[in-house]
Amino acid sequence: MSAATRLVVRSRPGEGETLHGFLLRLSELNGYAGTRTIRELTGLPPTFASVPCGLERLDAVLGGPAGADTLAGSACWPGRDGLIGVGRARLSPALIDLARARVCPACLAEGLRERPAWDVRLVTACSRHGVRLVDACTTCDRPLRWGRARLTDCDCGSSISSHATIRAGDGARLMSATLEGEVGGADLPPGLRLPALGDALGRLAWFVGTAADAGSDWRTRYIAKPDVTETESIMETAAAVLVDWPSGVGVWLDRIRHVHGPLGLTRTVARIRQSLEGVQYAEFLSAVSRHVEAFPEAPRKGWTRSIGVGAGQTWIDATRAAGRLGTTAGRVADMIEAGELTGSSSAAGGRRRLLISSNSVTQLAYRFASAIPAREAAARLGVSRHALEDLRGTGLLPYVRPPRLGGIARAYLPDDLDALADRVACMATAAGPSEPTSLFRMSLARSRRLSEVLRGILTGTFPVHAIAGVDDRPPFERLGVDPAKVRGIRLGADDVPTLDVARTARALRVSTRMVPVLVRAGCLSATGGSRLGRNSVDSRSVRDFPDRFVMARTLAASHTTSTKVVVRLLAAAGVSPVVPSNASDGISAVWLRTDIEAARGVPWPRRRLRRTSVRKIPSLTRRPGETLP
């Protein structure tokens, strides 16, 4: 039976409906509990909502009304620019939260669909009803997830639409309406003037809300993904600064200076410089600079240079750019080619004339200033130095070569480290083994490289779990995997899992001695060709084996006869096996399925094996104390 005939009700994504929301609705229409059955029918991985994958089979199941490209357009997949398309906006992955589903109980009670803006973690209020969104069940206190059985119900059976609603704060409602208007799910509030829009507005709002307290734990709060209640309080703070523009910035800075003193203000300005890079924040940075320079403790040359606000776009030559970066003109040319600097190159006689944007040089200098050496980067992630080099070499962790960092050849940006940790944390689930092995311990193991484990996690091959009770540890000490799920599986080319002999034998229900024979016969493919190495059997060939080949035991079971009779009848019909039978070595015969289907006139026996009940054989029904004859 084909996958398409197993769907009773077919539908297509509605306008503004996300892929994960559509799949949950489609499962509910067909009477399935959750999206697992639909995913198995269409071959979608568990990470289909955030990791790009093929949607052709899903389109075929739907009968092709939408098309795979349209379905992909409704998914939260990052593009080439690293941003995720949500409605008509493109946002950074740090602003998207698919781990905790957020819904409006009032909208669900009215039969309305979920909206893409609810996946933006800064949106905490419904623009239609003005109530706070719900991200946890009030009955069982468990977070809502997109893999639940029904859109309107929690996994515990409680109806989400009947949950009590709470009026959201005025600032949070205004910020949520603004962000939802950027996405395209609502109209922008009239008469509102903000210093940034789109992705820049979201990042700016989150920074302002978390940096209001200039304590030493700001970074932890900045990269965290709290629940909707704590997020609402952060958005209330951000609204007081950004909505009342530009006077709100002065009130915000005055409060930081009053509570934390000049040291807290200096710390906040340094964090602005590290976190808000780019011309999209120029208006906000200018307002901060103008207000800070009025303080008595401001430096003589002003805080404009420390924040990086320039008078306008200027172009400088390679010599001046090299002097400001502390490197050579040749290295500047390499930076332009690599896209690290914005500039142009033109012919000037027998040489090349380079013109570089002064703003891009300033931004790159600030990036280099925030870079940290490998020792600190390893401690920040919670891995060994060797594992950090492995992540760099495999391309999972980008690096920079700052010219002014004590002669260190390679350094790492804190934002890149936090982004990698966030990508792995987004895949984590609370339920798991009683004692998962942390990623830090996996980085110390010699039998498995950490980069391979992370690639398996990011592709959905290896499940990752959050370790309870270690919230104060580095990120890779708070996340762990089940060694039993990782053991025996490797990732080959294109992140395709490869299996060892034992796992391959269990998957095919054969003995381990049969696996090398199948590899040599070409029935299974291995990374080393006909030579079978450790963890070298391609999982795709194991998956496709039943569709391409048939074994003697399968034919014997389908025709209720023995394997010897199957071998004799097919040999008489002229069907040659790919793997001949060898009873002394325990090797079963294997044929091409196409050869079996093309065979005509095979006199398969029509008898059925007689089943004898054990109770009718006296010798096998003994009483306690008796011995068999």
Side-chain angles (χ1 to χ4, degrees):
M1 183 181 296
S2 65
T5 59
R6 298 175 67 175
L7 280 184
V8 179
V9 182
R10 301 179 186 180
S11 180
R12 60 184 300 172
E15 184 178 358
E17 188 175 19
T18 60
L19 180 61
H20 47 277
F22 165 66
L23 216 64
L24 181 58
R25 181 171 63 86
L26 183 66
S27 302
E28 188 174 347
L29 290 175
N30 285 272
Y32 297 134
T35 61
R36 180 175 180 178
T37 303
I38 299 291
R39 288 192 290 104
E40 291 178 351
L41 291 177
T42 56
L44 293 178
T47 58
F48 72 95
S50 57
V51 180
C53 57
L55 300 176
E56 290 77 11
R57 292 178 60 182
L58 175 61
D59 182 49
V61 166
L62 299 176
D69 295 338
T70 303
L71 294 173
S74 62
C76 294
W77 294 350
R80 294 183 178 179
D81 55 357
L83 302 179
I84 295 176
V86 181
R88 65 188 182 192
R90 298 197 60 80
L91 306 177
S92 62
L95 300 179
I96 309 300
D97 188 6
L98 298 180
R100 300 173 69 101
R102 297 182 177 184
V103 296
C104 173
C107 289
L108 297 184
E110 296 177 3
L112 301 177
R113 298 173 180 173
E114 52 86 23
R115 297 200 290 272
W118 293 351
D119 293 332
V120 182
R121 63 188 179 105
L122 276 61
V123 176
T124 60
C126 175
S127 60
R128 180 186 298 270
H129 300 96
V131 299
R132 182 191 300 169
L133 299 181
V134 174
D135 64 348
C137 177
T138 58
T139 303
C140 63
D141 293 333
R142 289 186 298 181
L144 299 179
R145 58 187 184 90
W146 284 113
R148 59 186 185 273
R150 292 170 56 88
L151 178 64
T152 58
D153 295 340
C154 175
D155 289 334
C156 68
S158 174
S159 175
I160 305 174
S161 58
S162 62
H163 287 183
T165 58
I166 301 176
R167 184 71 176 177
D170 294 338
R173 284 191 290 110
L174 187 57
M175 291 300 300
S176 298
T178 303
L179 292 170
E180 190 167 353
E182 290 290 322
V183 172
D187 296 331
L188 284 170
L192 185 62
R193 180 178 177 269
L194 295 171
L197 294 175
D199 180 69
L201 174 62
R203 296 176 68 91
L204 181 59
W206 189 254
F207 174 84
V208 170
T210 55
D213 182 9
S216 59
D217 61 339
W218 165 78
R219 172 60 66 175
T220 302
R221 291 183 288 111
Y222 183 65
I223 66 175
K225 291 186 176 181
D227 58 14
V228 69
T229 304
E230 185 177 349
T231 304
E232 183 183 12
S233 64
I234 294 175
M235 288 296 100
E236 287 286 339
T237 304
V241 178
L242 300 179
V243 174
D244 188 15
W245 180 260
S247 58
V249 177
V251 177
W252 178 64
L253 293 173
D254 290 340
R255 179 185 177 278
I256 293 176
R257 180 169 175 264
H258 175 73
V259 176
H260 300 279
L263 179 60
L265 187 62
T266 304
R267 185 183 298 166
T268 301
V269 172
R271 290 167 178 171
I272 292 175
R273 181 182 60 191
Q274 295 175 3
S275 305
L276 304 178
E277 297 179 344
V279 295
Q280 62 269 33
Y281 306 107
E283 189 174 356
F284 175 79
L285 299 178
S286 298
V288 172
S289 175
R290 289 193 300 268
H291 191 80
V292 168
E293 283 184 343
F295 293 148
E297 62 272 14
R300 297 179 186 176
K301 296 183 179 180
W303 289 47
T304 301
R305 294 187 179 182
S306 66
I307 299 178
V309 180
Q313 178 77 316
T314 58
W315 300 88
I316 59 178
D317 57 15
T319 304
R320 291 184 60 188
R324 292 173 59 177
L325 294 174
T327 184
T328 63
R331 174 64 179 149
V332 169
D334 295 338
M335 293 178 180
I336 295 175
E337 184 177 356
E340 299 177 2
L341 288 175
T342 302
S344 61
S345 175
S346 59
R351 300 183 179 182
R352 304 296 298 178
R353 182 170 180 258
L354 301 177
L355 289 178
I356 303 98
S357 168
S358 177
N359 289 342
S360 67
V361 174
T362 303
Q363 294 173 15
L364 186 60
Y366 289 142
R367 289 187 64 201
F368 286 164
S370 63
I372 58 178
R375 175 179 53 81
E376 298 180 14
R380 188 184 186 94
L381 277 181
V383 298
S384 64
R385 289 278 300 276
H386 177 76
L388 186 75
E389 181 67 17
D390 174 38
L391 297 179
R392 181 204 63 79
T394 53
L396 286 174
L397 185 61
Y399 68 97
V400 296
R401 294 182 181 271
R404 296 177 178 174
L405 198 60
I408 299 177
R410 297 186 183 95
Y412 302 88
L413 298 177
D415 289 344
D416 293 337
L417 298 171
D418 297 339
L420 177 61
D422 287 345
R423 289 177 61 195
V424 180
C426 288
M427 309 292 293
T429 58
S434 57
E435 295 183 0
T437 302
S438 66
L439 296 179
F440 170 71
R441 292 179 57 188
M442 295 296 297
S443 69
L444 301 177
R446 296 183 178 181
S447 58
R448 181 62 59 92
R449 298 168 62 183
L450 181 62
S451 61
E452 187 178 0
V453 176
L454 292 188
R455 285 192 290 121
I457 292 174
L458 297 177
T459 55
T461 304
F462 302 148
V464 61
H465 311 284
I467 302 177
V470 290
D471 295 340
D472 56 338
R473 303 284 183 83
F476 281 7
E477 294 185 26
R478 302 194 302 263
L479 301 171
V481 295
D482 186 357
K485 299 291 183 64
V486 177
R487 189 181 304 113
I489 298 179
R490 296 278 184 176
L491 292 181
D494 300 330
D495 293 334
V496 176
T498 57
L499 310 179
D500 60 3
V501 173
R503 280 183 176 267
T504 305
R506 286 197 299 269
L508 297 178
R509 299 176 60 188
V510 298
S511 62
T512 54
R513 71 181 67 182
M514 188 76 181
V515 176
V517 177
L518 294 176
V519 173
R520 288 193 294 268
C523 302
L524 298 176
S525 60
T527 56
S530 60
R531 296 184 58 185
L532 186 61
R534 184 179 181 183
N535 299 96
S536 61
V537 181
D538 194 328
S539 61
R540 294 173 298 187
S541 64
V542 177
R543 179 194 61 197
D544 298 338
F545 181 85
D547 298 332
R548 299 177 55 203
F549 303 95
V550 60
M551 301 184 66
R553 69 176 184 200
T554 305
L555 293 174
S558 61
H559 295 288
T560 63
T561 184
S562 65
T563 56
K564 292 183 178 180
V565 173
V566 169
V567 173
R568 177 174 54 81
L569 292 178
L570 291 178
V575 181
S576 301
V578 179
V579 177
S581 175
N582 190 339
S584 60
D585 293 339
I587 305 301
S588 177
V590 179
W591 292 269
L592 283 171
R593 185 170 290 275
T594 55
D595 293 345
I596 298 298
E597 295 174 352
R600 295 290 186 268
V602 179
W604 297 111
R606 297 183 179 274
R607 64 184 178 87
R608 297 184 60 86
L609 296 179
R610 186 178 60 181
R611 296 180 180 179
T612 304
S613 175
V614 176
R615 295 181 180 179
K616 296 182 180 180
I617 303 179
S619 60
L620 295 182
T621 56
R622 56 174 181 168
R623 290 186 295 272
E626 290 184 345
T627 59
L628 294 177

